[in-house]
Amino acid sequence: MGEKVSVSILGLGVVGSGVVKLIKDHQEELAHRLGCSVHVKSVLVRDLEKARDITIEETLLTTNPNDILEDPEVDIIVEVMGGIEESFQLILKAFSVKKHVVTANKDLVALHGAELQQAADRNQCDFYYEASVAGGIPILRGITDGLSSDRIQQVMGIVNGTTNYILTKMNNEGVSYENALKEAQHLGFAEADPTADVEGLDAARKMAILGRLAFSTNIDLEEVEVAGIKNLELEDLKYGERLGYTMKLIGFASCQDGEVEVNVQPTLLSKNHPLADVKNEYNAVYVYGEAVGETMFYGPGAGSLPTATAVVSDLVTVIKNMKLGVSGHSTIKPRFKKELKTAEKRMGQYYIRLHVKDEVGAFSTISSLFNTFNISFKRILQTPIKKHETAEIILVTHQTSLATFHASLKDLKELDVVQEIKSYYKVEGDVEREMAGVTQTL
Amino acid sequence: MGEKVSVSILGLGVVGSGVVKLIKDHQEELAHRLGCSVHVKSVLVRDLEKARDITIEETLLTTNPNDILEDPEVDIIVEVMGGIEESFQLILKAFSVKKHVVTANKDLVALHGAELQQAADRNQCDFYYEASVAGGIPILRGITDGLSSDRIQQVMGIVNGTTNYILTKMNNEGVSYENALKEAQHLGFAEADPTADVEGLDAARKMAILGRLAFSTNIDLEEVEVAGIKNLELEDLKYGERLGYTMKLIGFASCQDGEVEVNVQPTLLSKNHPLADVKNEYNAVYVYGEAVGETMFYGPGAGSLPTATAVVSDLVTVIKNMKLGVSGHSTIKPRFKKELKTAEKRMGQYYIRLHVKDEVGAFSTISSLFNTFNISFKRILQTPIKKHETAEIILVTHQTSLATFHASLKDLKELDVVQEIKSYYKVEGDVEREMAGVTQTL
């Protein structure tokens, strides 16, 4: 390696353009920090003729990946083209010809991360992917380096900006899901096809990556339970607000004694929780470590330059490793074979909204049913809906297992006084303190 | 270096005990992560007989630092004894005998950090001090590694837990400074002599360290302007609250074109700012980077195990470097000779509370004075204090320079209608949007 490091970029979309710009604009700082200059050698694009926001020498562009992979001068490949199969093959090939790889591709890392890491290790190459989770927030480093001496027990993340923007709108302005989505699309915070975001799949991919690093074990994407925000009703956000909770799409990962749980679901978060104040398109990851306690990392989860910052910070690390002659030593091998936590061991609090017949004794019937399951309540709120001779009841349980909770819901449906279970959500961050609930008998 | 790394600890107080406990409890994880075991070889204490919270083999303890410094088996020294002169000499000696050093000593790093770093470099030793700023939050890494590709323009920190606890109490419960301090002392969040905390000196040390790393330049402790919270009156917190601000002790560091400003002062922070929600004894550091935009790192700023987590994470880094044979390469040399920003260039918004004569034309006199300085107002609030024939006026300015602001205050004092300038504070995070103020004429 000479006085100049050559980087080639696969993809010149939003993130790729940001990377080109950042490398160009920060030449002086990079040279100071690394003692060598960093330049973009070539860029893979689909269409040479396409109009772009960025000015780049035409001679750098190519539509043939082999122009890059077979170029002996290229030291590092930055993959920001997205997609799975093609990028997977290109990265594998890059490792086979001893090129280091930095990627921002969460879909790919969530699905094939373990395999790619092995290929990198085999070839003594570096493989970094800070930008794949929570854009500009250096959270992967926070977990693998900053908290490397601690046992991480829980990771909770607002890791999808689109859904957080929609939920913030719904919560603060009382607009419906559909209208909030439209506004998010208008502002460029949601894509034309928002499926991956609103169904929680994007968040699930990031949680698989976070869980893998936090707990030092393999987590398969299909092991992450997912529920999205498409069917959320404003009523539940409003009741949540009244009871001191904010509705957020929370990625949750916990590990106890080698038993792991990872899921993504709309969650009523206590307003006292640090994540509750994370608004609009911002992301944040809350990490609970046995020794350190509560920490949180907050910042922009997407965007051209924020994401490019994470990519180029990874580049800096890769180049330092090259200079020090220690490439390919970054991996921490999975430490244990995990088991998934069973529903009997998954403890949690739940919010339930029910419609019941507005008649004497109805609440007492419901309450004794939960009693048989040993489920007690932290908060109870009841409002009559006069025109239907129906009452609406909101319950927030104390801790119970997921298995017991589901069993109780099954029996609840069978009760004659229960007209409908309208909704139920997990509750998080609700420290046990004085009862703030309002109890009313029917 | 064999299969075992030997660490010796200078000091067995709150943090030292935490480090001993963490190394002991996390043996298995450390061995997995590092491929070698880590053990505590010896501990420097002042008094061998002292009763301690921690069980430790008596044979490990010594009162003679040379037992540690001259022990060829010791690879790394952890300095957690505090103080300045003695630890300074011991660390210099440690480097001279090629031992790596990890410290949690903010006073020492703020005063002699540059000199110690040079000594480390000369001897090809590692020198890390993550625990010296914001306890368990991996903020130094966040700046030096996570955001290494960006140009950091501003760092704002709540970096002193004691004062943040006191201000949270005053703000939420309306208790006076004196009573809040007593409660903080009772709970162990404030020391018997709270001077260094409440006068802002502790925060100033941390800001000198943060500024140095964020802007890659040397910052001397005496270049940090400091104001503490001792003279805060509840009135100003209440008016702040009413206008949408929370009073926080903010460490502020900014850098533009090589011109630097670092200070610590009570600041009225817009409630929309991410730091405004940081409560009680928690710390947080907000970093604004040119490319990444807003990020924030939140967590415990003190405490035995949180601080020990940062120390042991540094140990992990030092041991990895030893194993890879790349010790002593961690420094980024200061990049430029800074200049301090002059008062003419220090732009900001200010809150002012005045007592004026409650007479016709008073406000107009004041308003035309500020007009001559080209200072305009974002918010104006006026309430009569009947019994004194006095009116209280609260003003929040738009952006103005510190020099202009001070000149206006000087002239303001001379005005016949002005009885007293009760207080003034810097305002931060107040994004320019619609006027939310209430304007009243006298």
Side-chain angles (χ1 to χ4, degrees):
Chain A
M1 162 184 169
E3 288 308 289
K4 192 165 84 172
V5 171
S6 295
V7 176
S8 288
I9 303 176
L10 311 181
L12 193 58
V14 173
V15 181
S17 308
V19 172
V20 170
K21 182 172 159 48
L22 220 56
I23 292 178
K24 201 165 154 193
D25 291 356
H26 290 196
Q27 272 304 318
E28 198 195 325
E29 286 91 342
L30 289 169
H32 171 78
R33 194 172 279 267
L34 295 165
C36 64
S37 73
V38 181
H39 84 133
V40 175
K41 181 80 198 302
S42 46
V43 181
L44 180 71
V45 295
R46 287 200 199 289
D47 176 2
L48 292 173
E49 311 298 328
K50 190 180 163 188
R52 301 177 199 283
D53 289 340
I54 187 164
T55 45
I56 185 163
E57 289 169 59
E58 268 178 45
T59 52
L60 297 184
L61 304 184
T62 174
T63 55
N64 181 358
N66 290 330
D67 287 348
I68 291 172
L69 291 168
E70 290 167 9
D71 180 347
E73 284 181 23
V74 173
D75 303 295
I76 309 169
I77 304 273
V78 170
E79 186 276 303
V80 284
M81 55 193 267
I84 294 179
E85 211 36 55
E86 194 184 354
S87 16
F88 185 41
Q89 295 307 329
L90 290 177
I91 294 180
L92 285 178
K93 185 152 182 214
F95 288 138
S96 75
V97 292
K98 315 290 179 200
K99 299 191 191 302
H100 309 295
V101 174
V102 172
T103 180
N105 190 332
K106 58 191 170 286
D107 306 13
L108 178 62
V109 178
L111 260 182
H112 297 300
E115 214 174 328
L116 287 170
Q117 187 68 65
Q118 282 165 16
D121 293 351
R122 261 199 316 275
N123 293 286
Q124 285 196 287
C125 288
D126 270 348
F127 178 49
Y128 285 93
Y129 44 89
E130 179 66 74
S132 69
V133 179
I137 311 173
I139 177 63
L140 302 189
R141 263 161 237 270
I143 286 177
T144 55
D145 298 342
L147 302 173
S148 62
S149 65
D150 201 0
R151 268 182 216 128
I152 295 176
Q153 299 180 322
Q154 199 187 84
V155 178
M156 275 168 68
I158 294 176
V159 288
N160 180 274
T162 306
T163 48
N164 202 45
Y165 182 84
I166 292 172
L167 292 176
T168 304
K169 273 275 149 189
M170 288 174 74
N171 208 59
N172 293 0
E173 297 171 25
V175 299
S176 67
Y177 166 76
E178 287 75 19
N179 288 336
L181 171 61
K182 265 181 214 147
E183 189 171 334
Q185 286 170 322
H186 179 69
L187 291 169
F189 294 143
E191 294 180 48
D193 175 5
T195 314
D197 292 319
V198 301
E199 292 192 348
L201 306 173
D202 176 80
R205 291 171 193 142
K206 293 162 178 168
M207 291 311 297
I209 300 171
L210 281 172
R212 193 184 292 159
L213 293 173
F215 309 139
S216 186
T217 188
N218 280 326
I219 294 186
D220 291 333
L221 191 50
E222 55 263 39
E223 292 170 334
V224 183
E225 279 182 20
V226 187
I229 65 164
K230 268 184 7 183
N231 301 317
L232 281 184
E233 290 181 44
L234 272 177
E235 263 97 330
D236 293 307
L237 275 74
K238 283 178 194 157
Y239 280 123
E241 194 66 24
R242 203 163 142 190
L243 293 165
Y245 305 109
T246 304
M247 185 73 83
K248 293 285 181 191
L249 183 66
I250 295 291
F252 180 93
S254 84
C255 179
Q256 275 176 309
D257 309 320
E259 291 192 334
V260 167
E261 168 186 1
V262 188
N263 56 65
V264 173
Q265 58 185 301
T267 302
L268 285 163
L269 200 63
S270 163
K271 290 189 182 177
N272 295 318
H273 195 282
L275 288 174
D277 295 312
V278 177
K279 297 194 186 79
N280 298 317
E281 76 280 16
Y282 275 88
N283 281 18
V285 179
Y286 167 94
V287 180
Y288 190 92
E290 189 181 290
V292 78
E294 298 189 296
T295 60
M296 185 176 79
F297 304 75
Y298 167 97
S304 174
L305 287 175
T307 310
T309 303
V311 170
V312 181
S313 293
D314 275 352
L315 270 181
V316 167
T317 303
V318 171
I319 297 169
K320 276 190 193 163
N321 289 344
M322 286 167 63
K323 291 201 73 139
L324 294 170
V326 295
S327 299
H329 286 276
S330 58
T331 331
I332 300 145
K333 297 222 166 22
R335 199 167 66 85
F336 60 86
K337 257 185 94 68
K338 68 161 191 308
E339 293 197 31
L340 290 183
K341 210 184 265 184
T342 62
E344 282 71 28
K345 289 193 178 169
R346 288 171 58 178
M347 303 302 287
Q349 285 181 260
Y350 296 90
Y351 159 105
I352 317 159
R353 178 159 62 98
L354 297 173
H355 279 185
V356 304
K357 288 182 191 160
D358 197 356
E359 62 184 35
V360 176
F363 187 76
S364 145
T365 310
I366 292 166
S367 145
S368 46
L369 181 142
F370 280 107
N371 208 24
T372 62
F373 285 97
N374 225 348
I375 295 175
S376 61
F377 296 105
K378 181 157 192 173
R379 291 195 177 91
I380 300 165
L381 193 70
Q382 187 247 314
T383 34
I385 308 181
K386 290 252 165 65
K387 51 180 177 175
H388 299 301
E389 297 188 333
T390 291
E392 188 156 58
I393 299 183
I394 315 297
L395 303 170
V396 178
T397 73
H398 281 286
Q399 293 277 332
T400 182
S401 79
L402 182 62
T404 307
F405 179 65
H406 276 157
S408 74
L409 285 186
K410 193 159 165 270
D411 283 13
L412 195 64
K413 272 185 207 154
E414 305 298 315
L415 285 186
D416 192 46
V417 294
V418 173
Q419 295 169 331
E420 196 181 351
I421 300 176
K422 299 293 286 183
S423 58
Y424 53 91
Y425 294 103
K426 202 169 171 213
V427 169
E428 282 290 344
D430 200 2
V431 188
E432 299 288 325
R433 51 171 82 86
E434 293 171 339
M435 287 282 286
V438 185
T439 311
Q440 300 175 354
T441 27
L442 293 174
Chain B
M1 163 185 170
E3 288 308 289
K4 194 165 83 172
V5 171
S6 294
V7 176
S8 288
I9 303 176
L10 311 181
L12 193 57
V14 173
V15 180
S17 307
V19 172
V20 170
K21 183 173 158 48
L22 219 56
I23 292 177
K24 202 165 154 194
D25 291 357
H26 290 197
Q27 272 303 317
E28 199 194 324
E29 285 92 342
L30 289 170
H32 170 77
R33 195 172 277 269
L34 296 165
C36 65
S37 74
V38 181
H39 85 132
V40 175
K41 180 82 200 299
S42 45
V43 182
L44 180 70
V45 295
R46 287 200 200 288
D47 176 2
L48 292 172
E49 311 298 328
K50 189 180 163 187
R52 300 176 200 281
D53 289 341
I54 188 165
T55 45
I56 185 163
E57 289 169 59
E58 270 178 43
T59 52
L60 297 185
L61 305 184
T62 174
T63 55
N64 181 358
N66 290 330
D67 288 349
I68 291 172
L69 293 168
E70 290 166 9
D71 180 347
E73 283 181 25
V74 172
D75 303 293
I76 309 168
I77 305 273
V78 170
E79 186 276 304
V80 284
M81 56 193 266
I84 294 179
E85 211 34 55
E86 193 184 354
S87 12
F88 185 41
Q89 296 307 330
L90 291 177
I91 293 181
L92 284 179
K93 186 154 181 211
F95 288 139
S96 74
V97 293
K98 315 290 179 200
K99 298 191 192 302
H100 309 294
V101 175
V102 171
T103 179
N105 190 332
K106 56 189 169 287
D107 306 15
L108 178 62
V109 178
L111 262 182
H112 298 299
E115 214 174 328
L116 287 170
Q117 186 68 64
Q118 282 164 16
D121 293 350
R122 263 198 315 276
N123 292 286
Q124 284 198 286
C125 288
D126 271 349
F127 178 50
Y128 284 94
Y129 43 89
E130 179 66 74
S132 69
V133 179
I137 311 173
I139 178 63
L140 301 190
R141 260 162 240 271
I143 286 176
T144 55
D145 298 342
L147 303 174
S148 62
S149 65
D150 202 1
R151 267 181 217 130
I152 296 176
Q153 300 181 322
Q154 197 187 84
V155 178
M156 278 170 67
I158 294 176
V159 289
N160 180 273
T162 306
T163 48
N164 202 45
Y165 182 85
I166 292 172
L167 291 176
T168 304
K169 273 274 147 189
M170 288 174 72
N171 208 59
N172 293 359
E173 297 171 25
V175 299
S176 67
Y177 166 77
E178 288 75 18
N179 288 337
L181 172 60
K182 267 181 211 146
E183 189 171 334
Q185 287 171 321
H186 179 70
L187 290 169
F189 294 142
E191 294 180 49
D193 175 4
T195 313
D197 292 320
V198 301
E199 293 192 348
L201 306 173
D202 176 80
R205 291 169 193 142
K206 292 162 179 166
M207 291 310 297
I209 300 172
L210 282 172
R212 192 183 294 161
L213 292 173
F215 309 138
S216 186
T217 189
N218 280 325
I219 294 185
D220 291 334
L221 192 49
E222 56 264 38
E223 292 171 333
V224 183
E225 280 182 21
V226 187
I229 65 164
K230 267 182 12 183
N231 301 318
L232 282 184
E233 290 181 46
L234 271 177
E235 263 97 332
D236 293 306
L237 275 74
K238 283 178 195 157
Y239 279 122
E241 193 69 23
R242 206 164 139 189
L243 294 166
Y245 305 109
T246 305
M247 184 72 83
K248 294 284 180 192
L249 183 66
I250 296 291
F252 179 93
S254 83
C255 179
Q256 276 177 308
D257 308 321
E259 293 193 331
V260 167
E261 167 186 1
V262 188
N263 55 64
V264 172
Q265 59 186 303
T267 302
L268 285 164
L269 200 63
S270 162
K271 289 188 181 175
N272 295 318
H273 196 282
L275 287 174
D277 294 312
V278 176
K279 296 193 187 80
N280 297 316
E281 75 280 16
Y282 276 88
N283 281 18
V285 179
Y286 166 93
V287 180
Y288 190 92
E290 188 180 291
V292 77
E294 299 189 293
T295 61
M296 184 179 78
F297 303 75
Y298 167 98
S304 174
L305 288 176
T307 310
T309 303
V311 170
V312 181
S313 293
D314 275 352
L315 270 181
V316 167
T317 304
V318 171
I319 296 169
K320 274 191 195 165
N321 288 346
M322 287 167 64
K323 292 202 72 140
L324 294 170
V326 293
S327 299
H329 286 276
S330 58
T331 331
I332 300 146
K333 298 222 166 19
R335 198 166 67 85
F336 61 86
K337 256 183 95 69
K338 68 162 190 306
E339 293 197 32
L340 290 182
K341 210 184 265 185
T342 61
E344 283 70 29
K345 289 194 179 169
R346 288 171 58 179
M347 302 303 286
Q349 285 180 260
Y350 295 90
Y351 158 106
I352 317 159
R353 179 159 61 98
L354 298 173
H355 279 187
V356 304
K357 287 184 192 158
D358 196 357
E359 63 185 36
V360 175
F363 186 76
S364 146
T365 310
I366 292 167
S367 145
S368 45
L369 182 142
F370 280 108
N371 208 24
T372 63
F373 285 97
N374 225 348
I375 295 176
S376 61
F377 296 106
K378 181 156 190 173
R379 292 197 178 90
I380 300 165
L381 193 69
Q382 187 247 314
T383 33
I385 309 180
K386 291 252 164 66
K387 51 180 177 176
H388 299 301
E389 299 188 332
T390 291
E392 187 156 57
I393 298 184
I394 315 297
L395 304 170
V396 178
T397 72
H398 282 286
Q399 293 278 333
T400 182
S401 79
L402 182 61
T404 307
F405 179 65
H406 277 154
S408 73
L409 286 186
K410 194 160 163 270
D411 283 12
L412 196 65
K413 270 183 208 153
E414 305 299 315
L415 285 186
D416 193 47
V417 294
V418 173
Q419 295 170 331
E420 195 182 352
I421 300 175
K422 299 293 286 183
S423 58
Y424 54 91
Y425 295 103
K426 201 167 170 214
V427 168
E428 282 290 346
D430 200 2
V431 188
E432 299 288 325
R433 51 173 82 84
E434 290 173 338
M435 287 283 285
V438 184
T439 310
Q440 298 176 356
T441 26
L442 293 172

